[in-house]
Amino acid sequence: MRVGVWKMFGAALAFAGAATMASAQGGPPGGMPTAGPLEVGVIDLQMQEIPRVVTTPGRAVAFQDVEVRPRVGGVIEEILYSPGQLLEVGDPLFRIDDASYLAAVATARANLATAEANLPVKQAAYDRAEQLAGRGYTEAEVEAARASLAEAKATLDANKAAVEYAETELSWTTMTSPIAGRADVSTVSVGDLATAGQADALTSIVTSDPIYVDMMEASARILSVRSAIAEGDLQRNDTLQATLTLENGDIYRGTGQLVTPGNNVSTSTGTVTIRFTFDNPDHIILPGMFVRGEIVLGTMQAYLVPQRAATRGNSGKLTAYVIGEDGKAEQVTLEDDGTYQNAWIVREGLNDGDRLVVDGLSSVRAGQEVSPVAVAIDEDGVSRDIAAPAAED
């Protein structure tokens, strides 16, 4: 038994020695294969022209919004529209009892007729007095005739104006739409009493085609964009245009045109309101609706780094891995300038021809030997291997 134990001990020592020798020569014990370089997916980077797009919150505002109030008083006799109806300028809305206004028109016209009949009499008296001045008419009598004629003319003018005003008040008893738009529900019923200039509106009319969208942009970012334009880093578009994403995530068909860039900074939010106008023929965008706007400011030369390929550290800087000339992974720090689609816009920290690691990031470390595999990133941000071309016969 003792001889067998010694044989087994000697065999173990021999195996340990062989393992040590194999390790010293760079190979694993027992002839196991060595671990090769880490396989990672990479893309080749080239500086390109990229649209500079900013995304901002926005709110839809009616192109026109009118509250309808009576200009004369009286009992509401008829409501002449239906709630939600699309109206044109001049379409009737309400009819107020017009009996008293018809009487006022009749009285004004009667007074006008009296004034028209009195004017020729005064004119003839003045002509006669002027012709016989010094021969039966004193100078005082001539002046009195002249004054009487002037008074008759003024009375005629006043009565003409009274007729016009009475007829205008009569026309106000039928209230019409001052704008084209969609009418709201009436706040009154037939038989209610309306007073001229009352505080409560009878209804409201909103024009939503076209429609305004007010977008809020931080004043600090506006200064940054202006600096980039001044330094030549950003080529500004001749006209600013915007697109919208609705509350349900749908992209709104149609492009907005700039109305005003805003002139004041909100003291509470530090933002500037930029107004765009959008065609809204189907009335999809409603006043008060919250949207997300994207404004294309211009173009710039930069690199597009997929967001999956870079991480932001505690310092706020982006870091990524590129493949060095020695075939090892190198960590680089990037200066980003916003995003475009699913990628970071990077202007500093990269060079043309750099091979950026986009797959295998969870295992890669700086200085690690890697085996790059060319991949492509599709529209959904998924990487796919680029198949090698088939060998020619």
Side-chain angles (χ1 to χ4, degrees):
M1 288 292 295
R2 184 173 299 177
V3 175
V5 171
W6 280 109
K7 285 182 178 181
M8 294 175 61
F9 182 68
L13 289 176
F15 179 80
T20 303
M21 183 177 297
S23 177
Q25 292 176 355
M32 296 177 59
T34 58
L38 176 66
E39 188 175 280
V40 294
V42 299
I43 59 173
D44 291 334
L45 294 177
Q46 293 292 331
M47 185 171 284
Q48 56 187 297
E49 187 174 81
I50 302 168
R52 182 67 167 91
V53 181
V54 296
T55 302
T56 66
R59 184 172 179 269
V61 179
F63 186 76
Q64 290 179 304
D65 189 352
V66 175
E67 291 184 337
V68 179
R69 293 179 174 84
R71 303 174 74 174
V72 292
V75 174
I76 302 293
E77 285 198 337
E78 192 174 2
I79 298 175
L80 304 171
Y81 78 98
S82 299
Q85 177 183 349
L86 283 174
L87 302 172
E88 298 296 332
V89 176
D91 284 351
L93 300 173
F94 301 92
R95 188 167 63 83
I96 296 175
D97 180 20
D98 60 0
S100 61
Y101 299 98
L102 286 171
V105 169
T107 300
R109 286 175 177 172
N111 292 335
L112 175 61
T114 301
E116 288 174 339
N118 188 45
L119 181 60
V121 176
K122 299 296 183 181
Q123 183 69 53
Y126 170 70
D127 292 342
R128 185 169 57 255
E130 189 176 35
Q131 290 174 358
L132 298 176
R135 293 179 298 166
Y137 280 84
T138 64
E139 187 65 28
E141 290 174 328
V142 173
E143 289 299 325
R146 181 183 293 113
S148 181
L149 175 61
E151 182 180 359
K153 289 180 177 180
T155 300
L156 177 62
D157 291 340
N159 281 279
K160 287 180 178 179
V163 170
E164 291 179 0
Y165 184 70
E167 291 175 344
T168 299
E169 283 196 315
L170 176 62
S171 69
W172 288 344
T173 59
T174 299
M175 302 175 62
T176 60
S177 176
I179 63 172
R182 193 180 299 275
D184 201 353
V185 177
S186 172
T187 62
V188 295
S189 300
V190 173
D192 287 346
L193 177 64
T195 58
Q198 66 183 44
D200 296 331
L202 303 187
T203 189
S204 62
I205 303 171
V206 173
T207 301
S208 56
D209 180 28
I211 194 166
Y212 290 131
V213 175
D214 289 345
M215 301 185 188
M216 281 64 75
E217 177 62 298
S219 58
R221 186 152 68 172
I222 291 177
L223 292 175
S224 176
V225 169
R226 288 179 175 175
S227 297
I229 293 173
E231 295 171 2
D233 296 330
L234 177 63
Q235 301 299 317
R236 182 178 58 182
N237 287 341
D238 294 334
T239 57
L240 287 182
Q241 295 183 336
T243 57
L244 295 180
T245 301
L246 304 180
E247 291 174 319
N248 62 352
D250 289 346
I251 304 298
Y252 182 72
R253 291 183 298 176
T255 303
Q257 306 298 320
L258 178 68
V259 176
T260 173
N263 300 313
N264 298 300
V265 178
S266 171
T267 57
S268 58
T269 62
T271 59
V272 177
T273 299
I274 305 173
R275 173 164 286 188
F276 288 83
T277 180
F278 288 80
D279 290 333
N280 191 31
D282 298 326
H283 304 279
I284 295 175
I285 305 174
L286 301 178
M289 182 180 291
F290 287 95
V291 296
R292 187 173 72 252
E294 291 187 347
I295 306 172
V296 181
L297 301 176
T299 58
M300 60 193 307
Q301 295 293 323
Y303 300 97
L304 285 180
V305 174
Q307 292 184 350
R308 59 183 291 173
T311 57
R312 194 177 295 278
N314 295 333
S315 63
K317 299 288 186 179
L318 285 177
T319 58
Y321 288 98
V322 297
I323 308 302
E325 295 180 357
D326 57 359
K328 296 181 179 180
E330 295 180 3
Q331 190 176 49
V332 292
T333 301
L334 311 178
E335 292 287 342
D336 68 290
D337 193 6
T339 61
Y340 177 68
Q341 296 179 347
N342 294 322
W344 298 105
I345 300 174
V346 175
R347 290 191 295 161
E348 297 182 12
L350 296 170
N351 298 294
D352 284 349
D354 279 350
R355 292 179 295 173
L356 178 72
V357 178
V358 296
D359 275 341
L361 290 167
S362 60
S363 301
V364 70
R365 298 292 183 268
Q368 184 175 7
E369 187 175 358
V370 294
S371 174
V373 176
V375 299
I377 307 295
D378 61 18
E379 295 180 354
D380 298 325
V382 178
S383 64
R384 304 186 185 280
D385 291 355
I386 300 176
E392 296 181 359
D393 293 335

